[in-house]
Amino acid sequence: MNIPAQPFPYAFDLAHSALVIIDMQRDFIEPGGFGESLGNNVALLSAIVPACQAVLQAWRDAGGLVVHTREAHAADLSDCPPAKRLRGNPELRIGDEGPMGRILVAGEPGNQIIPELAPQPGEIVIDKPGKGAFYATGLHETLQQAGISHLVFMGVTTEVCVQTSMREANDRGYDCLLLEDCTESYFPHFKAVTVEMLRAQGGIIGWTAPSAPLLDALAPPRR
Ligand code: TIU
């Protein structure tokens, strides 16, 4: 398959590609979670949910591999460096009890992926202690075993966990595409410049495209 993208068309083959959905968790998208505790207006993020659902459905229907990530820490916070927990002056710190359970702790209600994008059996779910999906996870090994060379990214937030994960993936040799209408930031200008910088310099980190041409490419041929 070949879809229009920037800085030039993105070619991929579904058998060697994975859809990677970064941190579409209640903690970032709903009030009362980690995102809001940092002082952010979380209302902006839910706008991308319908576009993410459409891509996820099309990718599943086409039989592609799906990876979901969650930013999550162990209940004893042994995988949360003090530098992360103590940074800044949030209303609630990682591990504190919030309206949706302990902030950014695995298994808590706020740590779950939103129901609209809930993982299905057989899909890969990665709990990651960092911003990047490859740091201290087995994601690279899992993708290598599955023969994956191309990654299509969606999720939040564009300039934090999505960008970090895409950069980590690029350094590990994956060809990465970011779907522009399936990612969002608490800061619209950060999203805009992140999309621009990732594809600058001839695709220095990867490609970007709206989801529409991908949906067209994934649609079953008309008879
Ligand atoms: N704060 C912020 O924008 N993001 C994060 O802390 N994590 C993710 O991006 N998932």
Side-chain angles (χ1 to χ4, degrees):
M1 295 188 205
N2 208 306
I3 64 165
Q6 292 195 59
F8 42 82
Y10 181 73
F12 70 104
D13 137 28
L14 200 61
H16 300 102
S17 304
L19 178 66
V20 182
I21 310 172
I22 301 289
D23 300 359
M24 289 297 285
Q25 299 163 234
R26 300 183 66 200
D27 254 317
F28 295 107
I29 294 167
E30 294 184 20
F34 182 58
E36 192 177 71
S37 80
L38 298 172
N40 298 306
N41 171 12
V42 300
L44 278 173
L45 269 50
S46 55
I48 65 166
V49 172
C52 292
Q53 278 184 296
V55 171
L56 177 58
Q57 190 60 53
W59 195 269
R60 282 172 173 159
D61 290 348
L65 184 70
V66 179
V67 177
H68 305 260
T69 72
R70 294 182 293 219
E71 188 171 345
H73 291 282
D76 63 2
L77 302 187
S78 55
D79 58 0
C80 183
K84 182 174 183 183
R85 183 172 145 76
L86 300 176
R87 184 80 45 84
N89 190 23
E91 284 171 29
L92 293 168
R93 293 189 188 279
I94 295 168
D96 289 352
E97 196 69 45
M100 295 191 287
R102 293 180 66 203
I103 297 286
L104 230 53
V105 168
E108 297 288 327
N111 208 241
Q112 304 305 313
I113 292 170
I114 58 169
E116 296 92 324
L117 299 169
Q120 287 185 351
E123 296 179 346
I124 296 166
V125 181
I126 298 282
D127 279 340
K128 60 185 190 48
K131 302 305 181 193
F134 290 84
Y135 168 67
T137 68
L139 180 57
H140 183 48
E141 293 69 23
T142 301
L143 294 173
Q144 292 297 293
Q145 278 165 17
I148 300 297
S149 55
H150 288 60
L151 300 177
V152 176
F153 282 91
M154 314 198 290
V156 295
T157 62
T158 316
E159 80 283 11
V160 183
C161 291
V162 175
Q163 171 165 223
T164 303
S165 299
M166 193 161 153
R167 288 174 179 273
E168 287 181 332
N170 186 54
D171 279 350
R172 286 164 177 78
Y174 298 92
D175 279 331
C176 299
L177 171 70
L178 174 61
L179 297 177
E180 297 160 11
D181 51 332
C182 298
T183 184
E184 195 48 88
S185 169
Y186 300 121
F187 307 90
H189 59 296
F190 284 171
K191 172 182 170 176
V193 293
T194 300
V195 167
E196 201 179 325
M197 76 172 74
L198 290 171
R199 68 185 182 214
Q201 305 182 59
I204 191 83
I205 307 298
W207 287 253
T208 81
S211 59
L214 177 65
L215 293 175
D216 287 345
L218 292 172
R222 287 199 196 90
R223 298 189 207 211

